[in-house]
Amino acid sequence: LYAVLTVILLAVILLYNLIYPNVSRLVVNNMCMLITVGMIMITRLSADNPSPYGTAVRQLVFVALGITFGLVVPVLIRKMKFLDQWTYIYAAVGGAALLAVALFAQISGGAKLGFEIAGINIQPSEFVKIIFVFFVAASLNKSKEFKNIVVTTAIAAAHVLILVLSTDLGAALIFFVVYLVVMLFVATRQWLYAIAGLGAGAAAAVVGYHLFSHIQVRVEAWQDPIGTYSGSGYQVAQSLFAIGTGSWFGTGLFKGQPDTIPVSETDFIFSAITEEMGVIYALCLILICVSCYVMFLNIAMELRNNFYKLIALGLGTCYIFQVFLQIGGVTKFIPSTGMTLPFVSYGGSSMLSTMIMFGIIQGLYIIREDEEEEREKEKLRKERKRKNGVGRTAPRKTAKSGPKFEEVPRQRPRKKTGTRTK
């Protein structure tokens, strides 16, 4: 597994450098680092399973498949100039996928998340969040008038409502924050929209707490995991025990007990990493995730096309907010939402969607580099014209006024010669 993973990661770095010379090396290296950390811990956790290393092998297949998507997506983003025209196609496809899950999916862990096909769980919400960002960016790029904002908000609210009915509250929270708090505010610069959205979100959270017992159980576990250790708080309590046991430098691989945390390879993999690798290692992992987000913001700020700018901002917010929900849940900072840690947690849908997301970001980075090269060429053309005198008017010829007189040097008066008469 180690040898195959090493070959795959070296191939990723070389192929990105060969196919896309202007690619962001920082994003590629961070992506490979996160994949490596996840594979190490998933391999360790799957060693004691009834089918040893089966989970790790499947995750390696998802990595290879995701990298294929990641290498194809940048060129599509660069070549397809009409993506901002599919506004309502994005809305229809995303809404239909979420509605299919709400109507036909089986309940797993108190929520309807996806379908199982040939033994593989497919979670459509992981891909719909990308489509949702494209829809919002295309709609707000088309018009920022109040009427269009109302229509866009209604469609976005329909997406969130379907996720709430499916009790997929983590994804619903991501959709809400990405649209209202970030993309709408950045596009319109209206504080009223953000304040009204936060108020509506707080009210919806209270209503959801009283309507769904699933939410009540998670809030109870968040409030007092030790007091509810024998029930709903067992998972969070075990997560906190693991983090405390690891201390600064960790217990070492196979010297901890992360397998005692339920679903540790998906929802609580950060706790498993912290126990055996240490808190310092975990903090470095968080800094890598923050580094990716800062790079996304850098790309968004430097893009001149408003549609691409909103996409980079929306996808970056999706990524970092999912990281926050996962780490915040396992450390008891917020109630657990069941979100995965991108590139690190086990899961095919999560791996593929995150790889596509990073591929889109790489495509936007290449577009930014193209724009920078075009600006440099335009600057050189103007400089060349200025040096060659192209475009300057010739100096006007003026008539000569009067004859020119040469200045004659002043001479001394000559002395008179001859006899003086009396």
Side-chain angles (χ1 to χ4, degrees), residues 127-143:
F127 303 97
V128 174
K129 65 185 178 185
I130 300 175
I131 300 175
F132 178 76
V133 169
F134 273 80
F135 157 69
V136 175
S139 181
L140 296 179
N141 181 60
K142 183 185 301 182
S143 173

Side-chain angles (χ1 to χ4, degrees), residues 348-391:
S349 297
S350 176
M351 176 63 68
L352 294 180
S353 65
T354 309
M355 197 70 74
I356 292 173
M357 187 185 302
F358 272 59
I360 294 172
I361 292 295
Q362 292 286 20
L364 297 179
Y365 184 85
I366 294 172
I367 291 175
R368 191 197 75 169
E369 292 297 311
D370 292 343
E371 291 178 350
E372 185 66 27
E373 289 180 5
E374 186 62 30
R375 283 196 292 265
E376 290 295 329
K377 289 180 181 179
E378 184 66 24
K379 185 178 178 181
L380 289 174
R381 282 196 293 266
K382 290 181 179 180
E383 185 69 20
R384 194 177 295 113
K385 286 182 180 180
R386 188 184 66 81
K387 288 182 178 180
N388 294 336
V390 177

Side-chain angles (χ1 to χ4, degrees), residues 26-88:
L26 175 64
V27 174
V28 174
N29 293 340
N30 287 349
M31 179 181 70
C32 294
M33 180 66 184
L34 293 172
I35 292 173
T36 303
V37 173
M39 281 299 305
I40 289 172
M41 187 50 60
I42 291 172
T43 305
R44 180 261 179 272
L45 292 172
S46 65
D48 298 329
N49 289 347
S51 57
Y53 304 111
T55 305
V57 171
R58 286 194 296 271
Q59 182 74 353
L60 196 60
V61 173
F62 294 144
V63 169
L65 186 60
I67 287 170
T68 304
F69 281 98
L71 289 171
V72 174
V73 168
V75 69
L76 297 179
I77 295 298
R78 188 181 185 186
K79 298 296 182 182
M80 299 172 71
K81 305 293 185 180
F82 48 84
L83 293 174
D84 57 341
Q85 302 174 10
W86 291 359
T87 306
Y88 295 106

Side-chain angles (χ1 to χ4, degrees), residues 40-353:
I40 289 172
M41 187 50 60
I42 291 172
T43 305
R44 180 261 179 272
L45 292 172
S46 65
D48 298 329
N49 289 347
S51 57
Y53 304 111
T55 305
V57 171
R58 286 194 296 271
Q59 182 74 353
L60 196 60
V61 173
F62 294 144
V63 169
L65 186 60
I67 287 170
T68 304
F69 281 98
L71 289 171
V72 174
V73 168
V75 69
L76 297 179
I77 295 298
R78 188 181 185 186
K79 298 296 182 182
M80 299 172 71
K81 305 293 185 180
F82 48 84
L83 293 174
D84 57 341
Q85 302 174 10
W86 291 359
T87 306
Y88 295 106
I89 295 178
Y90 298 136
V93 172
L98 295 180
L99 191 60
V101 173
L103 295 177
F104 305 111
Q106 299 293 326
I107 297 178
S108 175
K112 293 182 178 181
L113 300 178
F115 306 98
E116 184 173 346
I117 300 175
I120 300 176
N121 290 319
I122 299 176
Q123 192 171 343
S125 63
E126 291 285 348
F127 303 97
V128 174
K129 65 185 178 185
I130 300 175
I131 300 175
F132 178 76
V133 169
F134 273 80
F135 157 69
V136 175
S139 181
L140 296 179
N141 181 60
K142 183 185 301 182
S143 173
K144 298 181 182 65
E145 296 179 356
F146 182 74
K147 179 181 178 181
N148 185 61
I149 289 176
V150 170
V151 174
T152 307
T153 304
I155 297 175
H159 282 68
V160 175
L161 182 60
I162 294 173
L163 288 169
V164 170
L165 294 176
S166 303
T167 61
D168 189 359
L169 302 179
L173 192 57
I174 290 177
F175 278 50
F176 171 77
V177 170
V178 166
Y179 170 65
L180 195 60
V181 180
V182 179
M183 296 185 72
L184 181 61
F185 173 72
V186 170
T188 60
R189 305 296 175 89
Q190 294 291 333
W191 284 97
L192 181 62
Y193 293 147
I195 295 172
L198 290 174
V206 174
V207 173
Y209 174 80
H210 292 286
L211 288 179
F212 300 105
S213 59
H214 179 61
I215 301 178
Q216 296 175 7
V217 170
R218 293 196 174 187
V219 172
E220 181 185 19
W222 168 66
Q223 289 177 331
D224 189 7
I226 306 300
T228 57
Y229 181 78
S230 59
S232 59
Y234 176 78
Q235 192 176 30
V236 179
Q238 287 294 103
S239 172
L240 296 177
F241 292 155
I243 294 173
T245 302
S247 189
W248 291 107
F249 302 102
T251 61
L253 281 175
F254 287 93
K255 294 183 179 179
Q257 295 180 323
D259 48 348
T260 60
I261 309 172
V263 294
S264 56
E265 69 276 3
T266 54
D267 299 355
F268 283 77
I269 195 167
F270 184 80
S271 303
I273 292 172
T274 306
E275 179 178 4
E276 297 199 340
M277 304 286 193
V279 172
I280 295 177
Y281 191 92
L283 291 175
C284 293
L285 189 66
I286 295 175
L287 290 177
I288 293 174
C289 297
V290 173
S291 172
C292 292
Y293 178 60
V294 171
M295 192 64 193
F296 296 168
L297 291 183
N298 183 26
I299 294 171
M301 287 188 295
E302 295 187 7
L303 282 167
R304 292 190 292 180
N305 188 302
N306 189 58
F307 173 67
Y308 292 142
K309 184 187 296 288
L310 289 175
I311 287 177
L313 180 66
L315 293 180
T317 306
C318 276
Y319 171 76
I320 198 62
F321 194 67
Q322 184 170 339
V323 172
F324 167 75
L325 290 178
Q326 211 277 340
I327 297 176
V330 304
T331 56
K332 195 184 166 294
F333 186 76
I334 58 173
S336 176
T337 56
M339 299 303 297
T340 57
L341 189 59
F343 286 133
V344 180
S345 296
Y346 170 77
S349 297
S350 176
M351 176 63 68
L352 294 180
S353 65

